[in-house]
Amino acid sequence: MENLTLLSSSIGGVLIGLGAVTLLVLNGRIAGISGITGSLFAPRSGDVAWRMAFVAGIIGAGVVAYVVAPEFFAVGVERSGVAIAVSGLLVGFGTRLGSGCTSGHGVCGLARMSRRSLVSVITFIGTGAATVLVTRVFFGAAL
């Protein structure tokens, strides 16, 4: 485990939790990124401003983090452009298929004791583990 990042991971987890709680308390909404972003493409009247602010906050926080601590972004990606594009499409398909993403189900759904979210999170983890296994065994992790 050469890339152990306990401090930055813990801080990130706390910030995600605070963001999710803040959105729920102040706006009565669940902080599921795929649902928030997806609804921007099919907007409903009076439901766009907070979604745009949320997405802008996520992007803005990433920019600020990069300016303040660029070393956190110094991780190389050793995959082809095709593998990255296919992975992104599969993630998008999976969030639609699972009626949400890891933030919606894993952070917010589990906190609300949602059975559907529990099943989703178990599926996410199991599928991720199987994907790593298949990728390493059959492709030598060289995709």
Side-chain angles (χ1 to χ4, degrees):
M1 296 181 71
E2 68 246 16
N3 295 323
L4 194 59
T5 58
L6 291 177
L7 180 61
S8 60
S9 299
S10 297
I11 291 169
V14 167
L15 291 173
I16 289 169
L18 284 172
V21 167
T22 301
L23 185 63
L24 183 61
V25 169
L26 296 180
N27 205 14
R29 302 293 185 156
I30 302 300
I33 308 307
S34 62
I36 291 171
T37 305
S39 293
L40 285 173
F41 296 103
R44 286 182 268 162
S45 179
D47 199 37
V48 174
W50 75 268
R51 292 176 190 275
M52 298 263 309
F54 193 88
V55 172
I58 290 172
I59 294 168
V63 170
V64 169
Y66 182 75
V67 169
V68 171
E71 65 274 10
F72 290 154
F73 293 82
V75 177
V77 177
E78 299 175 11
R79 299 290 183 259
S80 70
V82 172
I84 292 170
V86 169
S87 299
L89 291 171
L90 288 172
V91 167
F93 175 74
T95 60
R96 296 300 293 174
L97 183 66
S99 299
C101 58
T102 53
S103 60
H105 286 299
V107 175
C108 302
L110 291 180
R112 294 176 324 155
M113 308 290 238
S114 166
R115 288 186 188 147
R116 181 178 89 162
S117 291
L118 179 60
V119 170
S120 294
V121 169
I122 290 169
T123 303
F124 296 155
I125 292 171
T127 303
T131 301
V132 168
L133 178 67
V134 167
T135 300
R136 289 192 175 179
V137 169
F138 293 108
F139 300 107
L143 287 177

